[in-house]
């Protein structure tokens, strides 16, 4: 039973690590359209990439400090909300990251194909 | 919304002042959006318990704030293994010998025991605590300084595999080392045995420093240990490679010498100082200092030899295993 729990925790950690790498890409891609934090989080969750606010907001701040996002406080529905949008530099980085992502996907597919052939 | 405001205030407390307003405003907006969405789903306002549940899901204020803070550590992951290693070294080379000498003095030396037992124990424990604390603080401060300067110093980037120490062969003996050990051992042994026989350490102008007569009882014991050590040094020089047998001989010699030193401490073997022009009060003072110094030296050396003996026993077992593996490999 304990072994099962440990394996579960290990799998969860590995899963988080894997998703963390994709998160920057997903956030930059989502912010091609301006959004505020809460709708961004919901949008990611609806597309199967749920992320807690403790991860998302620090990431948004980091990406903004790196010049990949721009943000502004605006009133909407009688409340002040911070809207984020990808910057010009962010678009360039996103393009490069997407190429990288596709390269990784292709390599991984190749590796998995080889191991499938090897195991059959 | 009282709970929410209290929560935001608690988060703000842990944030850097220049970012407090910004982060708290965004966090507030996010939580309010979630609450509003739940209220829209339920068609009513959330109760206090439900708001509490929302906030609990977000986590403790300290944890929430921590995610916005830059990662800071006194000693980072790069230096931490070295830091741990040096702390262990301080424990093994400083604190454990301190405790060992204290225990041995309490067991072997009646006057030390009389001074330090009972009301003296808290004082000794305090000294041990201060020793441990100062060793820990000194090591931590040094590593914290190294952590701050490690990037600027370029120490982590400027290296070459050629600078790494050669692969250690723990079984090989340095021939030069064995030769030095043999020569020094022979000369020191002859000198020491001569003194042990005559008991006079130094004599000039009526001033005499001599070993107490009780030392004489240990003459033959020292002869045996000296012969064993000399034979071992000679064997190591001729065939400079440790075998399990030779490790065993070294361990036995270490334990035997530790035994002799223990007996010397118990017999209160001391040094006698005499001088016609030296006042008797001064002689008694010198004798006291010599007595204490010798007692501490016996205990410290005895402990060192016992530890060295156990290290040899442990190495003896690893040498045997290596020899067995080698034989299997060659078969």
């Amino acid at each position: 039973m304990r072994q099962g729990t440990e394996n579960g925790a290990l799998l969860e950690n590995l899963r988080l690590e894997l998703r963390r790498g994709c998160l920057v890409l997903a956030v930059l891609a989502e912010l091609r359209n301006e959004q505020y934090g809460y709708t961004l989080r919901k949008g990611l969750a609806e597309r199967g990439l749920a992320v807690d606010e403790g991860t998302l907001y620090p990431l948004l701040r980091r990406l903004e400090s790196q010049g990949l996002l721009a943000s502004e406080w605006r009133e909407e529905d009688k409340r002040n909300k911070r809207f984020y949008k990808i910057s010009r530099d962010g678009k360039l980085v996103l393009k490069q990251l997407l190429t990288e992502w596709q390269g990784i996907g292709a390599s991984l597919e190749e590796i998995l194909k080889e191991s499938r052939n090897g195991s059959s | 919304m009282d709970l929410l405001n209290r929560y935001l205030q608690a988060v703000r407390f842990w944030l850097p002042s220049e970012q407090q307003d910004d982060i708290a405003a965004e966090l507030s907006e996010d939580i309010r959006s979630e609450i509003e969405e739940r209220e829209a789903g339920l068609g009513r306002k959330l109760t206090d318990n439900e708001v509490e549940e929302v906030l609990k899901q977000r986590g403790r204020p300290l944890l929430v704030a921590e995610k916005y803070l830059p990662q800071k550590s006194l000693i980072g992951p790069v230096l931490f293994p070295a830091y741990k290693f040096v702390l262990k070294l301080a424990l093994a080379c400083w604190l454990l010998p301190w405790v060992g000498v204290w225990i041995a003095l309490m067991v072997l030396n009646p006057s030390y025991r009389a001074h330090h037992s009972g009301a003296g124990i808290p004082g000794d424990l305090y000294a041990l605590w201060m020793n441990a604390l100062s060793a820990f603080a000194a090591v931590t401060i040094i590593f914290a300084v190294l952590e701050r300067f490690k990037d600027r110093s370029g120490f982590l980037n400027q290296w070459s595999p050629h600078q790494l120490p050669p692969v250690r062969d723990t079984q090989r003996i340095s021939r030069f080392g064995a030769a030095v050990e043999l020569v020094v051992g022979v000369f020191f042994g002859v000198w020491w045995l001569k003194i042990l026989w005559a008991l006079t350490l130094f004599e000039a102008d009526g001033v005499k420093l001599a070993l107490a007569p009780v030392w004489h009882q240990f003459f033959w014991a020292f002869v045996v240990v000296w012969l064993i050590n000399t034979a071992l040094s000679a064997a190591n020089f001729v065939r400079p490679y440790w075998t399990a047998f030779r490790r065993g001989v070294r361990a036995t010699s270490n334990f035997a010498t530790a035994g002799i030193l223990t007996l010397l401490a118990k017999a209160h073997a001391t040094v006698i100082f005499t001088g016609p022009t030296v006042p008797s009060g001064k002689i008694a003072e010198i004798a006291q200092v010599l007595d204490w110094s010798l007692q501490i030296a016996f205990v410290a050396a005895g402990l060192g030899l016992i530890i060295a003996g156990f290290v040899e026993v442990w190495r003896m077992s690893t040498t045997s295993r290596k020899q067995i593996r080698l034989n299997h490999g060659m078969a």
Side-chain angles (χ1 to χ4, degrees), chain A residues 8 18 28 37 50 56 59 64 66 79 95 103-106 111-112:
Chain A
L18 198 62
L28 288 176
L56 181 66
L59 173 67
E64 190 183 13
Q66 290 165 341
R79 278 224 309 268
K95 204 173 157 189
I104 292 170
I111 292 164
L112 291 173

Side-chain angles (χ1 to χ4, degrees), chain A residues 87-102:
Chain A
S87 67
R88 212 169 53 147
D89 286 350
K91 282 178 188 166
L92 283 173
V93 169
L94 176 61
K95 204 173 157 189
Q96 289 164 330
L97 284 180
L98 280 173
T99 311
E100 190 69 24
W101 170 254
Q102 280 150 4

Side-chain angles (χ1 to χ4, degrees), chain B residues 37-56:
Chain B
E37 194 178 275
R38 288 195 185 202
E39 285 175 343
L42 292 167
R44 61 168 171 83
K45 291 266 177 202
L46 291 193
T47 63
D48 252 14
N49 284 346
E50 286 164 338
V51 173
E52 184 190 354
E53 197 52 42
V54 169
L55 297 177
K56 278 180 94 170

Side-chain angles (χ1 to χ4, degrees), chain A residues 46-116:
Chain A
E46 279 163 13
R47 287 169 174 78
L49 203 67
V51 51
D52 68 87
E53 59 287 344
T55 305
L56 181 66
Y57 287 108
L59 173 67
L60 289 172
R61 302 181 80 80
R62 183 161 62 82
L63 292 175
E64 190 183 13
S65 70
Q66 290 165 341
L68 305 180
L69 294 179
S71 75
E72 75 170 321
W73 283 97
R74 241 184 9 241
E75 198 178 293
E76 191 188 84
D77 298 335
K78 294 181 186 167
R79 278 224 309 268
N80 261 336
K81 293 172 181 176
R82 187 180 201 162
F83 287 85
Y84 291 92
K85 193 169 195 278
I86 193 166
S87 67
R88 212 169 53 147
D89 286 350
K91 282 178 188 166
L92 283 173
V93 169
L94 176 61
K95 204 173 157 189
Q96 289 164 330
L97 284 180
L98 280 173
T99 311
E100 190 69 24
W101 170 254
Q102 280 150 4
I104 292 170
S107 304
L108 202 58
E109 188 54 38
E110 197 64 30
I111 292 164
L112 291 173
K113 200 162 69 184
E114 277 171 27
S115 58
R116 272 198 296 267

Side-chain angles (χ1 to χ4, degrees), chain B residues 16-92:
Chain B
S17 54
E18 67 276 12
Q19 293 181 321
Q20 276 179 350
D21 291 340
D22 200 41
I23 294 173
E26 193 165 32
L27 187 62
S28 161
E29 166 49 34
D30 193 83
I31 298 172
R32 281 176 208 276
S33 294
E34 186 179 339
I35 291 172
E36 267 181 14
E37 194 178 275
R38 288 195 185 202
E39 285 175 343
L42 292 167
R44 61 168 171 83
K45 291 266 177 202
L46 291 193
T47 63
D48 252 14
N49 284 346
E50 286 164 338
V51 173
E52 184 190 354
E53 197 52 42
V54 169
L55 297 177
K56 278 180 94 170
Q57 273 176 7
R58 300 268 167 162
R60 264 188 186 275
L62 173 63
L63 285 178
V64 172
E66 184 264 340
K67 290 182 176 165
Y68 287 91
L69 300 173
Q71 276 198 330
K72 275 184 181 167
S73 51
L74 192 62
I75 294 154
V78 174
L79 288 182
F80 195 77
Y83 169 67
K84 220 168 107 181
F85 174 75
V86 175
L87 275 185
K88 280 184 190 171
L89 214 62
L91 179 75

